[in-house]
Amino acid sequence: MRPVKWKGVYPAVTTKFKSNGDLDIPAFLKNIQFQADAGIDGVVIGGSLGESSTITHQERLDLAKATLNDFGDKIDVILNIAEGATRAAIDLVKKAEAIGVHGFMVLPPMMYKPTDQEVANYFKEIATSTSLPIMLYNNPVDYKIEVTLEILEQLAEFDNIQAIKESTRDISNVTRMKNRFGDRFKILCGVDTLAMEELLMGADGWVAGLVDAFPAETVAIYRLTKAGRIDEALQIYRWFLPILELDINPQLVQNIKLAEVMTGIGTEHVRAPRHILVGAERERVIGILEKGIASRPTLPDYLNIDTASF
């Protein structure tokens, strides 16, 4: 079994579609190539930014196969599991394990507001069904279910539950987890606008959104921050923040796909019920992106930073 690092930058990649709604795997892989060249550490396939609710299990597996074929020896390939039924989640986990994915990001059960014990049991059953590493996704703001410290206490005995995508919007939660569990769980920030802050509080990585359009800037912020080059990281982060705020928006998929088009590494097609941005909102987002692209900072040589100690 290939170990997963759970540190560094893990783009939540968008799913690329053709104009007729079919998967566009060449465009998908083109975007990942740009990100790999910029120094990302892994990808999360089929998350909410990947339009999870509109793609089938088979399409997720097809995307994962293509990614493994081209990049599996270079980066961690993580598949998102977001299901309403434990049985369906385990079925997808087993199929994904069979094609060689490196690990999973697992959301709490969807469509039903479970009790804390039901959440814990859901994660336990999935962890028991596979030997592969797992990152839990804690996002009570969007999914109305919190993976509490008490739930994590129950899950600490499962060696393959290794990481948490922290999206509570409460920076102090990083410190709470460190105080309670030490280094038992890797912590990856899941909110673009809080990434540098959480890295400074001890987060190990960043599951990023705008990295899909701005990979070099994202990886530079991570590596410079972890290397203690705070002033250099902060200069880039302050430039980036107006763009990063496009990630904390109900139309984050459309925003980020438009950003990918404007930086030349993506397509804008989405699946219904989504549609591309139109009207005043489209012009607002284009304005933010145009201003950011026009003032894009010159980056230091971040790729040669030694990451072994991070």
Side-chain angles (χ1 to χ4, degrees):
M1 181 178 69
R2 171 196 169 110
V4 174
K5 294 183 295 183
W6 301 124
K7 66 177 186 177
V9 175
Y10 284 67
V13 290
T14 57
T15 300
K16 307 297 186 293
F17 301 111
K18 300 175 183 177
S19 59
N20 67 357
D22 292 344
L23 291 182
D24 188 343
I25 289 180
F28 179 77
L29 295 175
K30 174 186 174 182
N31 179 268
I32 294 178
Q33 183 67 64
F34 273 93
Q35 299 194 59
D37 291 344
I40 63 163
D41 299 276
V43 292
V44 178
I45 295 170
S48 53
L49 187 50
E51 296 176 69
S52 173
S53 61
T54 71
I55 59 176
T56 67
H57 283 192
Q58 187 57 53
E59 287 174 325
R60 296 166 201 252
L61 296 171
D62 290 344
L63 292 167
K65 284 180 187 177
T67 307
L68 287 162
N69 185 61
D70 283 17
F71 302 100
D73 61 341
K74 304 178 185 73
I75 60 175
D76 297 332
V77 179
I78 309 301
L79 189 70
N80 182 55
I81 306 295
E83 299 295 329
T86 304
R87 179 181 297 184
I90 291 173
D91 179 66
L92 180 55
V93 162
K94 290 186 177 299
K95 289 175 180 175
E97 186 169 9
I99 66 168
V101 301
H102 302 143
F104 301 102
M105 182 174 80
V106 182
L107 275 70
M110 311 291 288
M111 309 298 289
Y112 158 67
K113 182 63 169 68
T115 66
D116 283 2
Q117 193 57 54
E118 287 171 328
V119 172
N121 290 346
Y122 176 80
F123 288 140
K124 289 176 184 180
E125 291 185 52
I126 292 172
T128 302
S129 76
T130 180
S131 61
L132 292 182
I134 291 170
M135 173 172 63
L136 307 179
Y137 186 9
N138 188 19
N139 185 349
V141 175
D142 291 327
Y143 297 115
K144 313 306 177 189
I145 301 165
E146 182 172 1
V147 183
T148 64
L149 298 181
E150 289 69 32
I151 290 173
L152 290 176
E153 286 278 9
Q154 293 191 47
L155 302 177
E157 67 183 84
F158 293 84
D159 291 342
N160 61 333
I161 298 180
Q162 298 177 354
I164 311 295
K165 180 183 175 184
E166 165 54 33
S167 297
T168 62
R169 277 49 162 196
D170 180 357
I171 298 168
S172 298
N173 211 40
V174 175
T175 301
R176 292 188 190 99
M177 285 190 282
K178 290 290 185 183
N179 285 347
R180 178 77 70 94
F181 301 108
D183 294 328
R184 167 60 185 85
F185 298 105
K186 297 288 188 183
I187 301 172
L188 289 83
C189 178
V191 182
D192 275 358
T193 56
L194 298 177
M196 187 170 173
E197 292 87 341
E198 290 198 5
L199 291 170
L200 289 168
M201 290 299 102
D204 303 281
W206 179 0
V207 179
L210 266 301
V211 65
D212 292 339
F214 297 91
E217 291 85 353
T218 306
V219 177
I221 291 168
Y222 167 78
R223 294 193 182 186
L224 290 166
T225 301
K226 283 297 188 180
R229 294 164 61 177
I230 305 304
D231 289 344
E232 292 171 275
L234 189 56
Q235 182 178 357
I236 303 166
Y237 192 56
R238 285 175 173 165
W239 160 83
F240 209 1
L241 186 63
I243 297 172
L244 294 177
E245 288 176 333
L246 298 175
D247 182 57
I248 50 171
N249 181 288
Q251 283 74 48
L252 78 162
V253 172
Q254 294 94 319
N255 291 345
I256 292 173
K257 284 192 165 183
L258 180 54
E260 289 176 331
V261 170
M262 291 182 65
T263 55
I265 58 174
T267 62
E268 202 177 354
H269 304 301
V270 291
R271 270 191 181 165
R274 288 184 178 87
H275 57 70
I276 64 170
L277 297 177
V278 297
E281 181 63 8
R282 182 179 184 86
E283 294 308 310
R284 184 187 76 85
V285 173
I286 287 174
I288 292 169
L289 292 167
E290 285 181 338
K291 182 177 180 180
I293 291 168
S295 59
R296 214 166 177 172
T298 300
L299 301 178
D301 185 14
Y302 72 90
L303 286 173
N304 285 325
I305 293 174
D306 182 7
T307 61
S309 63
F310 294 177

